[in-house]
Amino acid sequence: MKKITFLLFVLTATSNLSLATSIFNSDVENLIATMRAPTPVITDLKQLTDEIGGRLTGTQANKNAVNWALHKFHQAKVSAKKESFTMPKAWLEKSISAKVFNGSFSFSPRIVAMPFTKGTDYQGLTADIININKGDSQSFNQANTKNALKGKWLLVETAVLDDESGIHGLFQEYLDAVGIEERALAVEAAGIIYMSSRSQNLLYRHLPSTGADNEVPIIVMGRESALRTQRLLNSGKKLKLTAKINIFGEDSYQADNVIAEIKGDTYPDEIVLIGAHIDSFDLGTGALDNGSNVSLVIDIARQIKKLDIVPKRTIRFALFNGEEQGIYGSLGYTKTHAEELDKHVIAATIDIGTGAINGFFVNGREDIKTTVNHVLTPVADLGPFILMNDPVVGTDNYDFMMQGVANLVASQTDANYASNYHAESDTFDKVDQKQLKLNSVIMAATILGIANLETIPWQRQTAEQVVNMVDKYDIEASMKTFGLHKSWTENTRGIKH
Ligand SMILES: [Zn+2]
């Protein structure tokens, strides 16, 4: 009973408040108040992750997620449609198993294949295992006397990736992989065995540095089993590994982004975009990466519509697909909307789970900082916010940035992102529900704030400016880690230069 009275009090108090704000305050402040109050963002996320689950692009679950999101926008009376784009290759691990053995004993470690690894025949791929330590060039040179690595499985030792090593540790893992994979290809190794960087035999997968062009079988082995294998090798035992890898593979196919929009009334042809990727890897249920922020994007659209807010500029809500396998959905969007890119005022994306937003990466765009700081003032109590110049490579801002479109990536605290990254453990229970709500408030204020500006004091960059950005911030090493460097130098992706 007490509870009900309290609830009634709260309801009365909030409705009075919203009446007051609707008379005296701006649309942005109304939206902030509404986003702070309970909304369906958490129940949506629970549905997406528990009922639909992991949603690798190309799978039925991914299609289900696309239809689910479309339905959510339509339920909120926000106009939305699917937009198809091309994925270069289909890849799905159907089953996998491994056996480590010698003449006198054997064990069967848990393994997964890295994306775009080719399957084996039913007998599997059997070869000697060589311990290549951390896989740096010195280790390769020492071990490869008389072509000793040719045709062998190379066991690579990794550093533990946990919440302490965080996102920095994760990027180091990606950076190290570029050299390891190049060297393994050069010595004609049979394949690479990465020791899982997470303890407790937790498995994960992420894109190899060569992306869909990957030619080397790459597997991740449960850390404890890989350590056991390494100890045995170090004690002089000779070991072989048989990996049976059953892959569904196919050439290019079509997948769908979900694109929703709320039309602006003053500058309807100018577009302010907010996006998150709807696909995930298939081992976990993609709660932190990136279901949380899919729900956030949908919820912002829903609340703007519910408040009958008509922004000055058109706000586009993009749920990009194919991000995990090479950032193909947002690439597809920039191709489909090539004629409109000059009119894209900003493309903001969010992709670091539910870590607290502590600012934005402005991706080399000094010229947008003053304005972004300005639109953050209504949510100053959730700050402080820091704007960082560093261009982010590896998520959906990439093709906007490389097309000269001003873009933002939410900068977030590491929280529990790294330890669960692309792993079996990326599930709903890892989500910081309270912080997700606060992040949605910050993103909503930023997007509507920019959409409602009187004037936009920046423009799309020229090819020359984009080339300068690549040089100035030296992002080519990062481009290599995500298989994006070749297409830039070959002038097949990004602004023609
Ligand atoms: Zn992601």
Side-chain angles (χ1 to χ4, degrees), residues 277 289-290 323-324 351 395 417 422:
H277 69 85
D289 189 10
N290 193 14
E323 194 267 354
E324 298 293 9
D351 193 14
T395 186
Y417 187 75
H422 293 177

mmCIF file of all heavy atoms in Angstrom, residues 277 289-290 323-324 351 395 417 422, ligand 1:
data_model
loop_
_atom_site.group_PDB
_atom_site.id
_atom_site.type_symbol
_atom_site.label_atom_id
_atom_site.label_comp_id
_atom_site.label_asym_id
_atom_site.label_seq_id
_atom_site.Cartn_x
_atom_site.Cartn_y
_atom_site.Cartn_z
ATOM 1 N N HIS A 277 25.674 -0.910 -34.241
ATOM 2 C CA HIS A 277 25.551 -2.101 -35.104
ATOM 3 C C HIS A 277 24.689 -3.178 -34.471
ATOM 4 O O HIS A 277 24.803 -3.480 -33.290
ATOM 5 C CB HIS A 277 26.918 -2.634 -35.547
ATOM 6 C CG HIS A 277 27.763 -3.239 -34.476
ATOM 7 N ND1 HIS A 277 27.648 -4.547 -34.096
ATOM 8 C CD2 HIS A 277 28.771 -2.731 -33.718
ATOM 9 C CE1 HIS A 277 28.548 -4.818 -33.153
ATOM 10 N NE2 HIS A 277 29.231 -3.720 -32.904
ATOM 11 N N ASP A 289 28.181 -5.773 -26.836
ATOM 12 C CA ASP A 289 28.631 -5.474 -28.193
ATOM 13 C C ASP A 289 27.653 -6.077 -29.184
ATOM 14 O O ASP A 289 27.797 -7.214 -29.575
ATOM 15 C CB ASP A 289 30.051 -6.037 -28.389
ATOM 16 C CG ASP A 289 30.666 -5.590 -29.686
ATOM 17 O OD1 ASP A 289 30.099 -4.706 -30.335
ATOM 18 O OD2 ASP A 289 31.719 -6.140 -30.054
ATOM 19 N N ASN A 290 26.619 -5.370 -29.587
ATOM 20 C CA ASN A 290 26.357 -3.995 -29.270
ATOM 21 C C ASN A 290 24.863 -3.812 -29.034
ATOM 22 O O ASN A 290 24.293 -2.761 -29.298
ATOM 23 C CB ASN A 290 26.875 -3.130 -30.432
ATOM 24 C CG ASN A 290 26.946 -1.674 -30.106
ATOM 25 O OD1 ASN A 290 26.864 -1.276 -28.962
ATOM 26 N ND2 ASN A 290 27.033 -0.862 -31.127
ATOM 27 N N GLU A 323 28.969 -5.321 -39.188
ATOM 28 C CA GLU A 323 30.084 -4.564 -38.612
ATOM 29 C C GLU A 323 31.215 -5.488 -38.190
ATOM 30 O O GLU A 323 32.393 -5.233 -38.475
ATOM 31 C CB GLU A 323 29.585 -3.755 -37.401
ATOM 32 C CG GLU A 323 30.569 -2.684 -36.931
ATOM 33 C CD GLU A 323 31.519 -3.138 -35.841
ATOM 34 O OE1 GLU A 323 31.390 -4.270 -35.325
ATOM 35 O OE2 GLU A 323 32.427 -2.367 -35.501
ATOM 36 N N GLU A 324 30.854 -6.576 -37.539
ATOM 37 C CA GLU A 324 31.873 -7.455 -36.966
ATOM 38 C C GLU A 324 32.741 -8.133 -38.019
ATOM 39 O O GLU A 324 33.842 -8.553 -37.730
ATOM 40 C CB GLU A 324 31.214 -8.533 -36.083
ATOM 41 C CG GLU A 324 30.453 -7.995 -34.884
ATOM 42 C CD GLU A 324 31.344 -7.338 -33.834
ATOM 43 O OE1 GLU A 324 32.541 -7.152 -34.103
ATOM 44 O OE2 GLU A 324 30.826 -7.015 -32.756
ATOM 45 N N ASP A 351 29.607 2.146 -29.399
ATOM 46 C CA ASP A 351 29.946 0.722 -29.577
ATOM 47 C C ASP A 351 30.814 0.155 -28.451
ATOM 48 O O ASP A 351 31.500 -0.841 -28.652
ATOM 49 C CB ASP A 351 30.651 0.571 -30.949
ATOM 50 C CG ASP A 351 30.780 -0.880 -31.393
ATOM 51 O OD1 ASP A 351 30.108 -1.747 -30.807
ATOM 52 O OD2 ASP A 351 31.561 -1.146 -32.319
ATOM 53 N N THR A 395 35.143 0.711 -36.107
ATOM 54 C CA THR A 395 33.690 0.640 -35.899
ATOM 55 C C THR A 395 33.007 1.499 -36.970
ATOM 56 O O THR A 395 33.646 1.972 -37.911
ATOM 57 C CB THR A 395 33.297 1.003 -34.446
ATOM 58 O OG1 THR A 395 31.886 0.772 -34.283
ATOM 59 C CG2 THR A 395 33.632 2.443 -34.095
ATOM 60 N N TYR A 417 34.007 -4.241 -20.683
ATOM 61 C CA TYR A 417 33.938 -4.484 -22.131
ATOM 62 C C TYR A 417 34.991 -5.490 -22.595
ATOM 63 O O TYR A 417 34.681 -6.461 -23.284
ATOM 64 C CB TYR A 417 34.117 -3.159 -22.871
ATOM 65 C CG TYR A 417 33.904 -3.238 -24.355
ATOM 66 C CD1 TYR A 417 32.619 -3.349 -24.890
ATOM 67 C CD2 TYR A 417 34.986 -3.205 -25.235
ATOM 68 C CE1 TYR A 417 32.419 -3.405 -26.259
ATOM 69 C CE2 TYR A 417 34.797 -3.263 -26.602
ATOM 70 C CZ TYR A 417 33.505 -3.358 -27.113
ATOM 71 O OH TYR A 417 33.313 -3.423 -28.469
ATOM 72 N N HIS A 422 33.445 -10.087 -27.519
ATOM 73 C CA HIS A 422 33.185 -11.127 -28.532
ATOM 74 C C HIS A 422 33.193 -12.538 -27.949
ATOM 75 O O HIS A 422 33.378 -13.506 -28.679
ATOM 76 C CB HIS A 422 34.204 -11.042 -29.683
ATOM 77 C CG HIS A 422 34.053 -9.792 -30.505
ATOM 78 N ND1 HIS A 422 34.883 -9.486 -31.544
ATOM 79 C CD2 HIS A 422 33.165 -8.781 -30.439
ATOM 80 C CE1 HIS A 422 34.530 -8.335 -32.092
ATOM 81 N NE2 HIS A 422 33.478 -7.883 -31.422
HETATM 82 ZN ZN ZN B 1 30.897 -3.594 -31.679
#
